[in-house]
Protein backbone atom coordinates (compact mmCIF):
# COMPACT_ATOMS: atom_id res chain seq x y z
CA UNK A 1 0.00 0.00 0.00
CA UNK A 2 1.21 3.51 -0.80
CA UNK A 3 2.19 5.49 2.27
CA UNK A 4 0.52 8.85 2.52
CA UNK A 5 2.40 11.93 3.73
CA UNK A 6 0.23 14.96 4.45
CA UNK A 7 1.58 18.42 3.78
CA UNK A 8 0.37 21.36 5.83
CA UNK A 9 0.76 24.41 3.60
CA UNK A 10 2.10 27.35 5.63
CA UNK A 11 2.77 29.83 2.81
CA UNK A 12 -0.15 32.16 3.56
CA UNK A 13 1.08 32.56 7.16
CA UNK A 14 4.76 31.68 7.70
CA UNK A 15 5.50 32.54 4.09
CA UNK A 16 3.83 35.93 3.84
CA UNK A 17 4.48 37.18 7.39
CA UNK A 18 8.05 38.09 6.56
CA UNK A 19 8.00 38.79 2.85
CA UNK A 20 8.83 42.38 1.88
CA UNK A 21 5.71 42.45 -0.32
CA UNK A 22 2.37 43.61 1.01
CA UNK A 23 -0.35 41.48 -0.48
CA UNK A 24 -3.93 42.68 -0.41
CA UNK A 25 -6.61 40.51 1.17
CA UNK A 26 -7.83 39.70 -2.36
CA UNK A 27 -4.33 38.54 -3.36
CA UNK A 28 -4.04 36.42 -0.21
CA UNK A 29 -7.40 34.83 -1.00
CA UNK A 30 -6.27 34.12 -4.54
CA UNK A 31 -3.11 32.47 -3.16
CA UNK A 32 -5.28 30.33 -0.87
CA UNK A 33 -7.68 29.41 -3.70
CA UNK A 34 -4.77 28.42 -5.96
CA UNK A 35 -3.37 26.20 -3.21
CA UNK A 36 -6.78 24.60 -2.74
CA UNK A 37 -6.96 23.95 -6.49
CA UNK A 38 -3.59 22.19 -6.16
CA UNK A 39 -5.13 19.84 -3.59
CA UNK A 40 -4.11 21.49 -0.30
CA UNK A 41 -6.52 20.43 2.45
CA UNK A 42 -4.82 21.88 5.55
CA UNK A 43 -3.19 25.27 5.58
CA UNK A 44 -2.09 28.02 7.95
CA UNK A 45 -4.16 30.84 6.53
CA UNK A 46 -3.29 33.55 9.03
CA UNK A 47 -2.08 34.54 12.43
CA UNK A 48 -3.83 36.27 15.32
CA UNK A 49 -0.93 38.07 16.91
CA UNK A 50 -0.30 41.71 17.68
CA UNK A 51 -0.51 43.77 14.45
CA UNK A 52 2.34 45.87 15.86
CA UNK A 53 4.53 42.76 16.15
CA UNK A 54 3.64 41.34 12.72
CA UNK A 55 1.92 43.95 10.54
CA UNK A 56 1.62 41.57 7.56
CA UNK A 57 -0.84 39.41 9.47
CA UNK A 58 -3.03 42.30 10.65
CA UNK A 59 -5.62 41.41 7.99
CA UNK A 60 -6.01 37.77 9.09
CA UNK A 61 -9.60 38.32 10.29
CA UNK A 62 -10.52 39.56 6.79
CA UNK A 63 -8.72 36.61 5.20
CA UNK A 64 -10.60 34.12 7.39
CA UNK A 65 -13.86 35.92 6.62
CA UNK A 66 -13.13 35.69 2.90
CA UNK A 67 -12.10 32.05 2.46
CA UNK A 68 -14.48 29.76 0.62
CA UNK A 69 -16.04 27.64 3.35
CA UNK A 70 -17.72 25.32 0.86
CA UNK A 71 -14.32 23.79 0.15
CA UNK A 72 -12.99 20.97 2.35
CA UNK A 73 -9.88 22.92 3.42
CA UNK A 74 -9.06 23.19 7.10
CA UNK A 75 -7.90 26.75 7.73
CA UNK A 76 -5.44 26.90 10.62
CA UNK A 77 -4.99 30.04 12.71
CA UNK A 78 -1.81 30.73 14.64
CA UNK A 79 -2.13 32.01 18.21
CA UNK A 80 0.42 32.81 20.90
CA UNK A 81 -1.71 34.16 23.75
CA UNK A 82 -5.24 34.37 25.09
CA UNK A 83 -6.22 37.36 22.94
CA UNK A 84 -5.00 35.48 19.88
CA UNK A 85 -6.89 32.37 20.90
CA UNK A 86 -10.13 34.31 21.32
CA UNK A 87 -9.66 36.13 18.01
CA UNK A 88 -8.97 32.83 16.21
CA UNK A 89 -12.15 31.29 17.63
CA UNK A 90 -14.09 34.41 16.63
CA UNK A 91 -12.71 34.09 13.08
CA UNK A 92 -14.03 30.49 12.93
CA UNK A 93 -10.65 28.89 12.47
CA UNK A 94 -10.95 25.17 11.68
CA UNK A 95 -7.86 24.48 13.79
CA UNK A 96 -5.72 26.58 16.08
CA UNK A 97 -1.96 26.15 16.18
CA UNK A 98 -0.41 27.50 19.37
CA UNK A 99 3.25 28.51 19.48
CA UNK A 100 5.50 27.28 22.28
CA UNK A 101 9.09 28.41 22.40
CA UNK A 102 12.12 26.29 23.30
CA UNK A 103 14.53 29.05 24.23
CA UNK A 104 14.52 32.14 26.39
CA UNK A 105 16.24 34.65 24.08
CA UNK A 106 14.05 34.04 21.05
CA UNK A 107 10.97 33.63 23.26
CA UNK A 108 11.43 37.07 24.80
CA UNK A 109 11.80 38.76 21.43
CA UNK A 110 9.17 36.79 19.55
CA UNK A 111 6.40 36.61 22.10
CA UNK A 112 7.59 38.15 25.35
CA UNK A 113 7.68 34.74 27.05
CA UNK A 114 10.13 32.23 28.45
CA UNK A 115 9.68 28.57 27.42
CA UNK A 116 7.81 27.83 30.66
CA UNK A 117 5.66 30.93 30.30
CA UNK A 118 4.67 29.78 26.79
CA UNK A 119 3.66 26.37 28.22
CA UNK A 120 1.70 28.06 31.02
CA UNK A 121 -0.03 30.24 28.42
CA UNK A 122 -0.97 27.14 26.44
CA UNK A 123 -2.38 25.47 29.57
CA UNK A 124 -4.44 28.58 30.22
CA UNK A 125 -5.70 28.95 26.63
CA UNK A 126 -6.26 25.31 25.64
CA UNK A 127 -9.66 25.04 27.38
CA UNK A 128 -10.95 27.88 25.20
CA UNK A 129 -10.27 25.87 22.05
CA UNK A 130 -11.59 22.67 23.61
CA UNK A 131 -14.82 24.39 24.69
CA UNK A 132 -15.24 25.84 21.20
CA UNK A 133 -14.75 22.36 19.74
CA UNK A 134 -11.79 23.48 17.65
CA UNK A 135 -8.89 21.03 17.22
CA UNK A 136 -5.79 22.38 18.94
CA UNK A 137 -2.24 21.77 17.74
CA UNK A 138 1.05 23.37 18.76
CA UNK A 139 4.46 24.13 17.36
CA UNK A 140 7.60 24.25 19.47
CA UNK A 141 9.51 27.04 17.78
CA UNK A 142 13.33 27.20 17.71
CA UNK A 143 13.32 23.53 18.79
CA UNK A 144 16.71 22.99 17.11
CA UNK A 145 18.50 26.25 17.74
CA UNK A 146 18.09 29.85 18.83
CA UNK A 147 19.31 32.69 16.58
CA UNK A 148 20.71 34.63 19.57
CA UNK A 149 22.09 31.98 21.94
CA UNK A 150 22.74 28.92 19.80
CA UNK A 151 22.05 25.36 20.90
CA UNK A 152 18.74 24.58 22.56
CA UNK A 153 18.42 22.13 25.46
CA UNK A 154 16.55 19.06 24.25
CA UNK A 155 15.24 18.58 27.80
CA UNK A 156 13.30 21.82 27.38
CA UNK A 157 11.81 20.53 24.11
CA UNK A 158 10.82 17.31 25.88
CA UNK A 159 9.27 19.16 28.80
CA UNK A 160 7.26 21.44 26.47
CA UNK A 161 6.04 18.39 24.54
CA UNK A 162 4.89 16.71 27.77
CA UNK A 163 3.06 19.86 28.81
CA UNK A 164 1.45 20.16 25.37
CA UNK A 165 0.17 16.61 25.75
CA UNK A 166 -1.26 17.44 29.17
CA UNK A 167 -2.99 20.50 27.69
CA UNK A 168 -4.82 18.24 25.25
CA UNK A 169 -2.89 19.16 22.12
CA UNK A 170 -3.66 16.57 19.45
CA UNK A 171 -0.69 17.22 17.19
CA UNK A 172 2.66 18.80 17.91
CA UNK A 173 5.16 20.21 15.42
CA UNK A 174 8.86 20.50 16.13
CA UNK A 175 9.83 23.76 14.49
CA UNK A 176 13.26 24.49 13.08
CA UNK A 177 12.54 28.19 12.86
CA UNK A 178 16.05 29.17 11.79
CA UNK A 179 17.14 26.13 9.77
CA UNK A 180 19.68 24.88 12.30
CA UNK A 181 18.82 21.17 12.35
CA UNK A 182 20.67 18.32 10.70
CA UNK A 183 18.92 15.02 9.90
CA UNK A 184 20.56 13.42 12.94
CA UNK A 185 19.20 16.17 15.22
CA UNK A 186 15.78 15.52 13.74
CA UNK A 187 15.95 11.83 14.63
CA UNK A 188 17.17 12.57 18.15
CA UNK A 189 14.43 15.13 18.81
CA UNK A 190 11.68 12.85 17.48
CA UNK A 191 12.91 9.96 19.63
CA UNK A 192 13.01 12.19 22.72
CA UNK A 193 9.56 13.70 22.17
CA UNK A 194 8.03 10.27 21.58
CA UNK A 195 9.21 9.27 25.04
CA UNK A 196 8.04 12.46 26.76
CA UNK A 197 4.73 12.85 24.89
CA UNK A 198 3.81 9.40 23.58
CA UNK A 199 0.16 10.21 22.85
CA UNK A 200 0.76 13.28 20.71
CA UNK A 201 0.83 12.97 16.93
CA UNK A 202 4.03 14.53 15.57
CA UNK A 203 4.45 16.96 12.69
CA UNK A 204 7.69 18.59 11.51
CA UNK A 205 8.34 22.19 10.46
CA UNK A 206 11.59 22.92 8.64
CA UNK A 207 13.19 26.05 7.23
CA UNK A 208 15.82 25.62 4.55
CA UNK A 209 18.12 28.37 5.79
CA UNK A 210 21.27 26.23 5.72
CA UNK A 211 20.39 23.82 2.95
CA UNK A 212 19.41 20.85 5.12
CA UNK A 213 15.65 21.22 4.63
CA UNK A 214 14.93 18.26 2.34
CA UNK A 215 17.43 16.05 4.15
CA UNK A 216 15.53 16.82 7.34
CA UNK A 217 12.24 15.90 5.67
CA UNK A 218 13.84 12.60 4.66
CA UNK A 219 14.99 11.95 8.23
CA UNK A 220 11.51 12.72 9.57
CA UNK A 221 9.75 10.44 7.06
CA UNK A 222 12.25 7.67 7.84
CA UNK A 223 11.43 8.15 11.52
CA UNK A 224 7.75 7.56 10.75
CA UNK A 225 6.48 11.13 10.63
CA UNK A 226 3.43 11.49 8.38
CA UNK A 227 2.79 15.26 8.42
CA UNK A 228 5.18 17.93 7.16
CA UNK A 229 4.79 21.72 7.01
CA UNK A 230 5.93 23.40 3.79
CA UNK A 231 5.37 26.65 1.93
CA UNK A 232 4.67 27.05 -1.76
CA UNK A 233 7.69 28.61 -3.43
CA UNK A 234 9.70 28.10 -0.23
CA UNK A 235 8.76 31.64 0.77
CA UNK A 236 8.98 32.90 4.31
CA UNK A 237 11.02 33.50 7.39
CA UNK A 238 10.52 34.90 10.84
CA UNK A 239 10.60 38.62 11.59
CA UNK A 240 12.25 37.82 14.96
CA UNK A 241 14.95 35.52 13.60
CA UNK A 242 17.64 37.42 11.70
CA UNK A 243 18.65 35.72 8.43
CA UNK A 244 15.99 33.03 8.72
CA UNK A 245 14.81 32.11 5.23
CA UNK A 246 11.79 30.26 3.95
CA UNK A 247 10.23 26.95 4.76
CA UNK A 248 11.03 23.87 2.74
CA UNK A 249 9.17 24.43 -0.54
CA UNK A 250 5.94 22.49 -0.94
CA UNK A 251 6.67 21.58 -4.56
CA UNK A 252 10.19 20.36 -3.72
CA UNK A 253 8.89 18.18 -0.87
CA UNK A 254 6.05 16.85 -3.02
CA UNK A 255 8.36 16.04 -5.92
CA UNK A 256 10.84 14.21 -3.69
CA UNK A 257 8.17 12.21 -1.87
CA UNK A 258 6.08 11.31 -4.92
CA UNK A 259 9.18 10.35 -6.90
CA UNK A 260 9.96 7.96 -4.05
CA UNK A 261 6.47 6.45 -4.23
CA UNK A 262 4.69 8.30 -1.41
CA UNK A 263 1.30 9.87 -1.96
CA UNK A 264 0.64 13.51 -1.02
CA UNK A 265 -2.62 14.21 -2.86
CA UNK A 266 -1.09 17.40 -4.26
CA UNK A 267 -0.86 18.44 -7.89
CA UNK A 268 2.76 19.27 -8.62
CA UNK A 269 2.10 21.18 -11.86
CA UNK A 270 -0.42 23.42 -10.12
CA UNK A 271 1.96 24.04 -7.22
CA UNK A 272 4.71 25.11 -9.61
CA UNK A 273 2.22 27.33 -11.44
CA UNK A 274 1.28 28.90 -8.10
CA UNK A 275 4.95 29.45 -7.18
CA UNK A 276 5.45 31.25 -10.51
CA UNK A 277 2.29 33.31 -9.94
CA UNK A 278 3.66 34.20 -6.47
CA UNK A 279 6.78 35.65 -8.09
CA UNK A 280 4.59 38.07 -10.02
CA UNK A 281 2.65 39.27 -6.97
CA UNK A 282 5.63 39.33 -4.58
CA UNK A 283 7.82 41.03 -7.16
CA UNK A 284 10.83 38.78 -6.57
CA UNK A 285 11.96 35.23 -7.37
CA UNK A 286 10.99 32.42 -4.99
CA UNK A 287 13.42 29.87 -3.59
CA UNK A 288 11.98 26.54 -4.67
CA UNK A 289 14.10 24.30 -6.88
CA UNK A 290 11.20 22.75 -8.79
CA UNK A 291 9.85 26.11 -9.93
CA UNK A 292 13.22 26.72 -11.60
CA UNK A 293 14.19 23.24 -12.78
CA UNK A 294 10.76 21.80 -13.57
CA UNK A 295 9.53 18.28 -12.90
CA UNK A 296 11.65 15.22 -13.63
CA UNK A 297 10.76 13.25 -15.63
CA UNK A 298 9.11 16.05 -17.60
N1 LIG B 1 -3.80 40.13 18.82
C1 LIG B 1 -3.86 41.48 18.69
N2 LIG B 1 -3.35 42.34 19.59
C2 LIG B 1 -2.76 41.81 20.67
C3 LIG B 1 -2.67 40.42 20.86
C4 LIG B 1 -3.22 39.57 19.89
N3 LIG B 1 -3.15 38.25 20.00
N4 LIG B 1 -2.05 40.21 22.03
C5 LIG B 1 -1.74 41.38 22.54
N5 LIG B 1 -2.17 42.36 21.73
C6 LIG B 1 -2.01 43.80 21.92
C7 LIG B 1 -2.53 44.27 23.24
O1 LIG B 1 -3.87 44.59 23.15
C8 LIG B 1 -1.65 45.48 23.50
O2 LIG B 1 -2.11 46.53 22.69
P1 LIG B 1 -1.90 48.08 23.11
O3 LIG B 1 -0.42 48.31 23.08
O4 LIG B 1 -2.62 48.82 22.04
O5 LIG B 1 -2.48 48.19 24.47
C9 LIG B 1 -0.31 45.06 22.95
O6 LIG B 1 -0.61 44.06 21.94
C10 LIG B 1 0.63 44.47 23.98
O7 LIG B 1 -0.04 43.44 24.70
P2 LIG B 1 0.69 42.46 25.72
O8 LIG B 1 -0.31 41.49 26.23
O9 LIG B 1 1.47 43.27 26.72
O10 LIG B 1 1.63 41.66 24.79
P3 LIG B 1 3.22 41.73 24.60
O11 LIG B 1 3.65 43.11 24.28
O12 LIG B 1 3.87 40.98 25.69
O13 LIG B 1 3.33 40.87 23.24
C11 LIG B 1 2.47 39.14 21.86
C12 LIG B 1 2.95 39.53 23.22
C13 LIG B 1 2.39 37.63 21.81
C14 LIG B 1 1.11 39.75 21.60
C15 LIG B 1 3.43 39.69 20.78
O14 LIG B 1 4.75 39.45 21.16
C16 LIG B 1 3.18 39.11 19.43
O15 LIG B 1 2.13 39.32 18.84
N6 LIG B 1 4.13 38.40 18.88
C17 LIG B 1 3.94 37.76 17.60
C18 LIG B 1 5.17 37.05 17.18
C19 LIG B 1 4.94 36.27 15.93
O16 LIG B 1 3.86 36.21 15.38
N7 LIG B 1 6.01 35.62 15.43
C20 LIG B 1 5.96 34.86 14.26
C21 LIG B 1 5.21 33.58 14.41
S1 LIG B 1 5.84 32.49 15.63
ZN1 LIG C 1 8.41 28.69 10.52
Amino acid sequence: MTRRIDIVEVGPRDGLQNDPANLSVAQKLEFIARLEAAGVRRMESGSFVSPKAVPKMADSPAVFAGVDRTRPTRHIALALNETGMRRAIEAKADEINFVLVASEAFGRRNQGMSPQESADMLAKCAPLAHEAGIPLTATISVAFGDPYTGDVDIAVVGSLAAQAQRAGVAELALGDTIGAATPWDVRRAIDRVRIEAPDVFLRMHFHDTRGAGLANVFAAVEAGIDVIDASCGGIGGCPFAPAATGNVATEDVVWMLERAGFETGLDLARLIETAKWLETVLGHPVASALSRAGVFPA
Side-chain angles (χ1 to χ4, degrees), residues 240-298:
F240 302 93
T245 57
N247 300 90
V248 284
T250 311
E251 54 275 25
D252 296 356
V253 174
V254 166
W255 175 78
M256 180 179 83
L257 293 176
E258 299 231 326
R259 180 92 178 123
F262 298 98
E263 182 190 306
T264 64
L266 297 185
D267 180 330
L268 195 47
R270 283 206 155 140
L271 287 172
I272 292 173
E273 208 178 283
T274 303
K276 289 188 193 267
W277 169 83
L278 261 181
E279 294 187 326
T280 67
V281 290
L282 298 177
H284 61 76
V286 298
S288 70
L290 264 284
S291 65
R292 285 193 307 276
V295 182
F296 177 85

Side-chain angles (χ1 to χ4, degrees), residues 138-156:
T139 296
I140 301 180
S141 64
V142 293
F144 297 91
D146 177 292
Y148 307 103
T149 51
D151 284 330
V152 160
D153 184 357
I154 198 164
V156 174

